[in-house]
């Protein structure tokens, strides 16, 4: 066997071994892109939107600030912060806007909840994208309770 064929055979065998060892890569590479008719299935569209939207928190001005991305640009997003028992501590509508750092439509909402504070994650933040009718995944948060 000449050198070119040996090299080609070696590369083909290596690629086949990788494809067999990592089937997810092989199937993903061969998968056809989603067509618009595939996305018309509401549950599928919801799953895609929920998988993409996200929230994060930080302290600003002595308050808990909740931000997130991958919402529908220029559309309303409902942010809620609840205790684990379901009681709402804070909620507000916001408009998702483009942001130089956060992908997709971004929201940045300063809550009335004091922060930072110590303690366990006794609540969660979640956002509802009105355009896609989907909720973001829940983000565990610590909700401070002032004792005055």
């Amino acid at each position: 066997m000449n050198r070119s064929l040996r090299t080609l055979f070696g590369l083909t065998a290596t690629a086949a071994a990788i494809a067999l060892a990592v089937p997810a890569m092989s199937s993903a590479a061969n998968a056809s892109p989603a067509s618009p008719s595939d996305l018309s299935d509401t549950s599928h569209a919801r799953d895609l939107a929920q998988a993409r939207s996200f929230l994060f928190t930080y302290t600003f001005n002595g308050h808990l600030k909740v931000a997130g991305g991958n919402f529908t640009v220029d559309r309303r997003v409902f942010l809620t912060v609840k205790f684990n028992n379901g009681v709402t501590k804070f909620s507000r509508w916001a408009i998702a806007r483009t942001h130089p750092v956060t992908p997709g439509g971004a929201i940045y909402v300063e809550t009335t909840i004091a922060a930072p504070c110590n303690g366990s994650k006794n609540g969660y933040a979640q956002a509802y994208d009105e355009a896609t009718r989907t909720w973001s995944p829940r983000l565990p948060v610590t909700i401070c309770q002032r004792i005055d």
Side-chain angles (χ1 to χ4, degrees):
M1 201 185 282
N2 69 30
R3 184 180 173 130
S4 308
L5 288 175
R6 277 195 307 250
T7 303
L8 178 60
F9 178 73
L11 291 175
T12 304
T14 302
I18 291 170
L20 288 172
V22 186
M25 285 178 61
S26 174
S27 62
N30 295 328
S32 60
S35 68
S37 63
D38 294 338
L39 296 178
S40 66
D41 174 23
T42 308
S43 63
H44 181 66
R46 258 188 238 131
D47 291 344
L48 287 175
Q50 186 171 12
R52 293 180 301 145
S53 63
F54 63 92
L55 295 175
F56 59 95
T57 61
Y58 57 98
T59 298
F60 177 77
N61 230 13
H63 294 109
L64 175 70
K65 190 150 183 180
V66 181
N70 283 338
F71 296 103
T72 306
V73 175
D74 294 330
R75 295 297 294 269
R76 293 183 344 147
V77 176
F78 181 72
L79 174 71
T80 185
V81 179
K82 295 183 176 187
F83 288 101
N84 289 331
N85 66 5
V87 174
T88 301
K89 178 68 176 173
F90 175 87
S91 62
R92 178 169 295 152
W93 283 97
I95 302 294
R97 304 285 186 205
T98 58
H99 190 273
V101 175
T102 308
I107 61 167
Y108 286 80
V109 178
E110 184 176 350
T111 71
T112 55
I113 300 168
C117 63
N118 295 325
S120 63
K121 305 290 185 186
N122 59 346
Y124 61 91
Q126 195 169 24
Y128 177 78
D129 187 327
E130 186 177 49
T132 61
R133 295 186 293 179
T134 58
W135 285 95
S136 69
R138 289 180 177 186
L139 177 68
V141 297
T142 302
I143 301 173
C144 295
Q145 290 288 64
R146 288 203 171 158
I147 301 173
D148 292 331

